[in-house]
Amino acid sequence: MEKALTININGSIFHINEDAYIKLKTYLEKLSRHFGTNPDEKEIMQDIESRISELFLQKIKDENKDIITVVWVNEIISIMGKPEDFEDGENEDKNQKPSSDKKIKHKMYRNPEDRLLGGVCSGTGAYLNISTLAIRLLVFLLFVLTGGFIVILYIFFWIVLPKAKTTAQRIEMRGKEPTVSNIENSIHEEVKDIKDNYKNFQKSDSYKNGKEKISRFGTILISFLKAIIKITIVLAGLFFMFIGISGILVLLLVLLFGAQLITFLPFWGVSGPDLNLPEITNFFTNPGIAIAISIAILFFLIIPLIGIIFAGTKIIFHYRSNNRLIIISGLTIWIIAIIIIISIGFSQTSNFIKGKTATNITTTSNSSSSINYDNDLTSFNDSLNNSKYSTLYIHLTPDSNSKYKGKHFNKTRIRTKNGQMIWIAEPKFDIEKNSKNKLALTIQKSCRGKGNKAKKNLEQIKYNYSLKDSILFLDPYFSIKEGTGWNDQVLKITLKIPEGKSVFLSMDISNIIYDIKNTSNTWDGDMVGRYWKMTADGLSEIKN
Amino acid sequence: MRPNYKMSRRMKIENTKAQMRKGILEYCILLILSKKSLYVSDIIKELKKSEMIVVEGTLYPLLTRLKNGGLLKYVWQESSQGPPRKYYELTAEGKKFLAELGLSWEKLVEAINTIKNNDLNF
């Protein structure tokens, strides 16, 4: 009685005796190794396999037997020839160690024979010697748990893992021993080595041979280190994969859904970055450019992460892949992304600069009038002068902070109102001397841009203030209507006071006061909470 | 020491023969394919008839190299016996190359004949 197997060579099914199978397998491996240095190895092996399959089919027909025996395999080998019989002059690498003949390489492939999509699951199953169904269930579970993000990993493996096309590759895919138990075994072996060495060490100790003791200790140390290195490598691979995958997850979440969502994730917490894609795009008035830069940023960030995953999988699993192609194409896309980001950045800045220059050169009313004095202040100024109080108190509008709750984005914030986003920014508050004997408040708006567009942008800037008795209330922010885009809008409030009048700067305006000149050269932040009087020399502190 | 010496000499002769065959094997393949587009086993049959190759394995890397060099191309054809087969044929470039090889072959034969027939009378 003999054990028989069923094999598939180039799409045809054959029954084969076990001894014949082993012989054929080693032969194909030998051929594959022989052509291993040849860049066309895959194609040559496929041709050879298809020819072998044909020869077997012929044999079955001629001899009317349907099982492949060792005799047939020997016959085939004599027809096809052993690598040493080849006269292709490419077999100069005969100095290869013969011992490597018996070692079957174990590599990860995609399994084209049992696949639902790309054969990644069944290939992984074959590699780890775990049932494909178990892997598929696990992937499905992860699909549900991660909300579909496992798909990224699947596609990644689909791209980098080669398909097991030839019989030799399918043998490599299964390997001699499954990898999980391989890793386990090798670790067990190392541990056993350590134990043995330690035992020997104890024995030698009884002989009290000092020299041997030291060398024994050395061997123990080395095998111990080996075990540690092996475990570390596997852990490092897992760590790389984890970092890469979670990085991509977070990146996609942030870019697509904004920062609010990821604050729920345990490893980001509240300290997560305070921006998202819709906010970034607000920088750019042209939506096409906004999309282009978003995609470029996505690629710029995602490619290093994919590289980390790739490195991690390479460490843990062994598979053949076209490293050079993968690295070069990845690097190319990455560099293109950087170029796009830089060039778009430059074009945006140059727009800014152009706009500014235009303001400086042309003074005609129509073109690029980005500075605008608010004329509706007359009545307000009148009431300011009519107040009988000698001291003007300057405060922030009460409860205005809750009104402007938003997210920080440098000095600029974003507020959502009825689902619409509005930019808000801090104004700059200054105090000057007025040569005329009256109080005056001027509001100056400016932004970068050209011509009518800049004018339009200025109209979108809204700012509120009010006067109640002797208190001037200033809003902490001015707002810019959605759709205007950020063009470095600036709002400057200047309070002009005549000689003899005094002001009290309340603590809460410390954020908005901006470079107020005074006789004692007091720093802005220290000017608040004090009384100031306009004198002939300028603003000076009233000391109690 | 003697048998070893013999052995190595024999191997050298074999090697020289193999080198000679190898040199003209490509030419032979191109010649065979210039007549008709053929399947690998037909090419092998022809080559075996003229005792050009000993084992088939020699042929596959050669065919792949010639194909990748642009001298050959193949078309898939259905076969009655099993999976479709690759039928090889010459490309235009292959035909040009073959003509060149023909010329240099004639020159070689001429050279050999000249050497053989020359009575060394000097």
Side-chain angles (χ1 to χ4, degrees), chain A residues 376-389 392 438-441 465-472 495 501:
Chain A
D376 301 330
L377 287 168
T378 0
S379 59
F380 179 78
N381 285 342
D382 287 345
S383 57
L384 207 62
N385 290 311
N386 288 340
S387 73
K388 47 195 176 295
Y389 310 98
L392 186 67
K438 63 175 192 175
L439 279 162
L441 190 71
Y465 46 83
S466 58
L467 185 72
K468 199 181 169 196
D469 297 332
S470 64
I471 308 169
L472 173 65
L495 180 69
K501 282 267 183 186

Side-chain angles (χ1 to χ4, degrees), chain A residues 47-55 80, chain B residues 41 44 56 60:
Chain A
D47 284 347
I48 288 177
E49 277 189 23
S50 77
R51 176 68 179 150
I52 288 174
S53 142
E54 202 170 48
L55 286 170
M80 300 302 294
Chain B
S41 68
I44 288 161
E56 291 188 11
Y60 293 97

Side-chain angles (χ1 to χ4, degrees), chain B residues 39-92:
Chain B
Y39 176 55
V40 182
S41 68
D42 303 325
I43 304 170
I44 288 161
K45 240 182 258 165
E46 280 300 308
L47 288 171
K48 274 192 175 161
K49 233 189 264 171
S50 44
E51 288 176 24
M52 274 306 299
I53 56 165
V54 188
V55 290
E56 291 188 11
T58 316
L59 199 57
Y60 293 97
L62 263 177
L63 281 174
T64 312
R65 201 171 61 217
L66 288 172
K67 186 209 71 183
N68 291 346
L71 301 177
L72 292 183
K73 62 181 178 191
Y74 62 76
V75 278
W76 290 100
Q77 275 189 22
E78 291 296 324
S79 134
S80 54
Q81 288 157 324
R85 296 163 151 193
K86 282 177 181 173
Y87 272 79
Y88 284 93
E89 57 191 54
L90 290 187
T91 61

